[in-house]
Amino acid sequence: MIRAKAAEGYSARLSAGFCWPWSDPLEDGTLINDVQIDGWSMPWNAKPDSRRLATGIPKSNYWASDPAGLEQVGCVYTAQGFEYDYAGVIVGRDLVWRPRQGWVGHPEASRDSVVKRGGAKDPLAFAALVKNTYRVLLTRGLSGCYVYFEDDRTRDFVISRIEWTEE
């Protein structure tokens, strides 16, 4: 859906919760497909300190504006402060909805050392930090937002609570 919007001339980017490793580029400057879900994979955007990148891979600070950024998944640290017409967001298993519990954070599913450290001793603090991460990602799209939930029960809960349209 994000690629289709970009093909129509809209600015569009895919981002995700920090639930997968973020590898350094290979020696040839290519990125590793770290974000993997059910046979689909894509690399994160380049790390801010990446020195040598292969042709066509934008530096971290150009991910949101360079057309080649469409070929990587952005993280909250790259996406915050930018807006585009359409946002695609992958909600990982670091935040799930459970009946009678509400939003539950799962630090073991997170690869974000900053967030994990901030919520290390308090599960509610961890969940609040991860909720904020997704709030940032979900508000980048000025015209629309597509969301994929890794956790089926969370997806079903959210769908049951919103009015939505399918394109």
Side-chain angles (χ1 to χ4, degrees), residues 102-129:
W103 291 103
V104 179
H106 287 282
E108 70 280 1
S110 177
R111 296 297 184 116
D112 191 334
S113 60
V114 173
V115 170
K116 286 173 81 166
R117 198 169 33 252
K121 295 183 177 157
D122 182 356
L124 293 177
F126 175 81
L129 290 168

Side-chain angles (χ1 to χ4, degrees), residues 2 19 23 53 94 110 116 119 126 146 158-159 163:
I2 291 301
C19 296
S23 301
L53 294 171
D94 55 347
S110 177
K116 286 173 81 166
F126 175 81
Y146 299 102
V158 172
I159 287 172
E163 293 181 30

